[in-house]
C-alpha cells in the first residue's frame, strides 16, 4: 500500500519536491507506461489544488491520443499543432496559458477550464506525449508550476513514453 500525501508546506518548491519524490518512488521500478501515467495523474490530482483535469496524451502517429487522467471525460484525439496540447507537442515547449479562452484554437473539452499548462514529454530528443493540467481558476499556473512540472516530466519521461 502506498500512502503519499503532500506536506502542509506553504511553498510550491516543497510541494513539487514531495510530488517528484512520490512519482519517482511509484514509477522507478515499474516498466508499464500506462500504469505509470495512471499513478502520476492520480498523484497530480492529490497534490495540486484547483485542478479540474490532470493527465496524459500520447503521440500516436501524427496525433495526440488520450492516456490515463483524472477529471471529466476528455477529447480522445488532438491533431498536432491544434489547441494547447497540440501546440506543446508541435513545438516541444511548455505552454502556460493564463486564459484558455484567449488562446487561438483552444479545444474546450471541459467548459469549466479557465487556465492550462501543458508540458511536452521528450524521449531521445523527440516528443512522445504531453502532460496536461487544467484549472477552473484563471491564471492558476505560474513559473513555479512550470519549473516543478518540467522537473517531474524529466524524471518520468522514460517511464511513461
Amino acid at each position: 500500500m502506498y500512502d503519499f500525501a503532500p506536506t502542509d508546506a506553504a511553498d510550491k518548491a516543497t510541494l513539487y519536491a514531495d510530488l517528484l519524490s512520490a512519482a519517482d518512488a511509484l514509477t522507478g521500478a515499474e516498466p508499464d507506461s500506462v500504469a505509470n501515467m495512471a499513478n502520476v495523474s492520480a498523484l497530480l490530482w492529490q497534490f495540486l489544488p484547483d485542478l479540474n483535469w490532470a493527465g496524459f496524451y500520447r503521440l500516436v502517429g501524427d496525433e495526440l491520443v488520450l492516456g490515463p487522467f483524472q477529471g471529466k471525460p476528455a477529447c480522445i484525439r488532438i491533431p498536432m499543432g491544434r489547441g494547447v496540447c497540440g501546440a506543446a507537442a508541435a513545438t516541444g515547449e511548455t505552454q502556460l496559458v493564463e486564459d484558455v479562452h484567449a488562446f487561438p484554437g483552444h479545444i474546450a473539452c471541459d467548459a469549466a477550464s479557465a487556465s492550462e499548462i501543458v508540458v511536452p514529454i521528450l524521449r531521445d530528443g523527440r516528443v512522445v506525449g504531453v502532460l496536461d493540467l487544467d484549472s477552473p481558476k484563471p491564471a492558476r499556473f505560474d513559473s513555479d508550476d512550470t519549473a516543478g512540472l518540467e522537473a517531474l516530466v524529466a524524471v518520468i519521461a522514460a517511464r511513461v513514453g
Side-chain angles (χ1 to χ4, degrees):
M1 181 173 114
Y2 297 107
D3 187 21
F4 299 110
T7 60
D8 291 333
D11 66 277
K12 283 188 180 181
T14 302
L15 179 73
Y16 277 107
D18 290 348
L19 173 61
L20 191 130
S21 178
D24 189 37
L26 276 174
T27 64
E30 177 53 55
D32 188 273
S33 63
V34 173
N36 287 334
M37 286 184 278
N39 268 332
V40 171
S41 64
L43 283 173
L44 290 161
W45 194 257
Q46 179 183 2
F47 273 69
L48 301 181
D50 303 317
L51 299 181
N52 63 329
W53 205 90
F56 294 87
Y57 279 91
R58 303 166 298 114
L59 185 60
V60 178
D62 62 351
E63 63 186 353
L64 294 166
V65 178
L66 182 64
F69 68 93
Q70 301 285 315
K72 290 182 178 180
C75 304
I76 296 172
R77 295 180 183 272
I78 299 174
M80 286 291 282
R82 185 154 178 247
V84 182
C85 288
T91 64
E93 297 176 358
T94 298
Q95 303 292 306
L96 175 63
V97 181
E98 293 183 349
D99 178 3
V100 295
H101 306 294
F103 189 89
H106 174 253
I107 301 168
C109 295
D110 182 349
S113 292
S115 61
E116 185 170 5
I117 186 168
V118 180
V119 180
I121 302 167
L122 301 170
R123 189 163 184 191
D124 299 325
R126 65 185 243 293
V127 174
V128 296
V130 299
L131 171 63
D132 180 21
L133 281 75
D134 292 22
S135 174
K137 289 180 64 174
R140 156 62 181 88
F141 306 105
D142 60 20
S143 60
D144 292 333
D145 295 297
T146 299
L149 293 169
E150 286 177 347
L152 173 68
V153 166
V155 167
I156 66 167
R159 303 169 189 175
V160 298

